[in-house]
Amino acid sequence: MMRRRPGAAASGSVPAVVEVSDEQDDVALDAPALATLAEAVLAAEGVRGPAELSLTFVAAEVIAELNAEHLGESGPTDVLAFPLDDPAESRPAGMVALLGDVVVCPSVAQRYAAANGRSTEHELALLVVHGVLHVLGHDHAEPDEAARMIDHERRHLRALVDPSFER
């Protein structure tokens, strides 16, 4: 497991930390860069530490098992998010907020990238941002929620990945 520690936040508060693990061999990816992206999204969404998020890249079989176990769906999916602590809740000094886990399947992302005319790198960035937003409470079950979430995704992806990024 690789632990990423960003520099101090501009406000002087402790930034959130993303622990990243690449447990798959199907698609080459830059796990440290994707962890840095997740940290930047957390900071842009106002999350300050001490807080931690887990970001894991897994094979299709693993995410299919998680999808069945937690959502009752069959087959692999591209990203799953498991929120834990609400970063807005107050905690005793020094207690770390465990924000949750984001699990991404790069092989599914690669298929979706090809279908959507995007690079695999852009698709992985989209999924990391999407997963982080889910951990922070965003959803897309209702049209108004979906519009807000897409707006946040687009804003983060354009600011942090590519100014011309389209979802």
Side-chain angles (χ1 to χ4, degrees):
M1 182 180 306
M2 178 177 289
R3 186 179 188 105
R4 302 281 307 147
R5 289 206 174 271
S11 67
S13 64
V14 177
V17 173
V18 173
E19 295 207 17
V20 63
S21 180
D22 185 2
E23 300 175 1
Q24 55 85 47
D25 297 318
D26 301 321
V27 176
L29 56 87
D30 187 346
L34 291 165
T36 299
L37 172 61
E39 291 166 347
V41 171
L42 291 169
E45 289 287 320
V47 176
R48 300 291 179 255
E52 291 185 4
L53 176 94
S54 166
L55 174 61
T56 307
F57 299 95
V58 299
E61 304 79 38
V62 174
I63 207 158
E65 289 174 15
L66 292 170
N67 200 21
E69 181 179 340
H70 295 280
L71 297 179
E73 300 288 335
S74 64
T77 189
D78 51 0
V79 62
L80 292 171
F82 302 98
L84 294 173
D85 293 341
D86 180 347
E89 286 182 10
S90 62
R91 287 178 184 65
M95 182 177 225
V96 176
L98 300 176
L99 301 174
D101 304 310
V102 175
V103 182
V104 177
C105 182
S107 63
V108 173
Q110 191 172 53
R111 285 198 314 267
Y112 288 176
N116 293 312
R118 280 195 282 270
S119 70
T120 300
E121 293 78 16
H122 275 186
E123 191 73 20
L124 288 168
L126 170 62
L127 296 176
V128 167
V129 171
H130 187 86
V132 170
L133 291 174
H134 269 307
V135 164
L136 297 179
H138 291 268
D139 202 357
H140 46 77
E142 299 296 326
D144 60 329
E145 293 174 333
R148 271 193 307 278
M149 189 166 185
I150 289 169
D151 179 59
H152 279 253
E153 288 172 351
R154 186 175 290 122
R155 187 167 22 95
H156 293 310
L157 290 163
R158 286 182 177 170
L160 302 168
V161 177
D162 180 348
S164 64
F165 196 99
E166 285 300 321
R167 187 183 186 304

